[in-house]
């Protein structure tokens, strides 16, 4: 859901018109991820041993993060209104998305570690690197999107 919010915020503040087609891709990925997790946690006999949590990062999260980076790049490359695209906001938002990607890679590496697949949550909880990268990505995304919001408020007509 955070990816939906991020792309919607980016689309709103940059006046990106392609948000409906992008949202369809996110919705499809979200639906498949729900089915995947439901199957891995709830289907008897399947479990996380056959459908590991780390595979979800490779199949869903990392592609969604790359799609977000692509859309940020396209919004910057061909902006509807150049005055709505703050340079520092782009850099901070891109850095936040890259931090999310690094977090996903660390998730995968951590879950392939010494713990059995069934203890995936413990491997994540006891990894200080994941927490640091998550905090960094959250802070960078907040700062980047707040710069987009400030630019939007500053450069938009007051009738909105």
């Amino acid at each position: 859901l955070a990816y939906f919010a991020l792309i919607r915020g980016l689309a709103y503040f940059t006046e990106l018109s392609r948000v409906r087609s992008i949202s369809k891709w996110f919705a499809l990925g979200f639906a498949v991820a729900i089915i995947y997790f439901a199957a891995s946690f709830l289907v008897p006999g399947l479990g996380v041993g056959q459908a590991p949590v780390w595979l979800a990062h490779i199949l869903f999260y990392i592609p969604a993060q790359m799609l977000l980076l692509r859309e940020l790049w396209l919004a910057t490359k061909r902006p509807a209104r150049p005055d709505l695209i703050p340079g520092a906001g782009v850099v901070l938002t891109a850095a936040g998305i890259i931090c999310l990607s690094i977090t996903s890679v660390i998730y995968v590496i951590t879950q392939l570690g010494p713990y059995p697949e069934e203890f995936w949550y413990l491997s994540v909880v006891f990894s200080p690197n994941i927490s640091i990268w998550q905090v960094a990505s959250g802070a960078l995304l907040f700062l980047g999107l707040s710069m987009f919001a400030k630019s939007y408020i500053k450069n938009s007509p007051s009738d909105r």
Side-chain angles (χ1 to χ4, degrees), residues 84-96:
L84 296 179
I85 310 292
V90 170
V91 170
L92 290 172
T93 303

Side-chain angles (χ1 to χ4, degrees), residues 71-138:
E71 293 307 316
L72 179 63
W73 178 71
L74 287 176
T76 305
K77 185 178 175 187
R78 292 177 278 167
R81 288 185 43 205
D83 57 337
L84 296 179
I85 310 292
V90 170
V91 170
L92 290 172
T93 303
I97 296 169
I98 290 168
C99 284
L100 279 176
S101 300
I102 291 170
T103 302
S104 290
V105 171
I106 294 173
Y107 261 86
V108 171
I109 292 169
T110 300
Q111 290 176 19
L112 291 174
Y115 297 104
E117 296 280 340
E118 291 76 15
F119 295 113
W120 69 270
Y121 186 75
L122 292 176
S123 67
V124 170
V125 169
F126 292 122
S127 173
N129 294 331
I130 291 174
S131 298
I132 291 168
W133 283 102
Q134 284 179 328
V135 169
S137 68

Side-chain angles (χ1 to χ4, degrees), residues 1-9 22-28 30 68:
L1 293 178
Y3 295 117
F4 280 112
L6 184 57
I7 196 65
R8 295 292 297 190
I22 300 162
S23 292
K24 288 178 186 176
W25 285 109
F26 277 104
L28 177 66
F30 185 66
L68 284 171

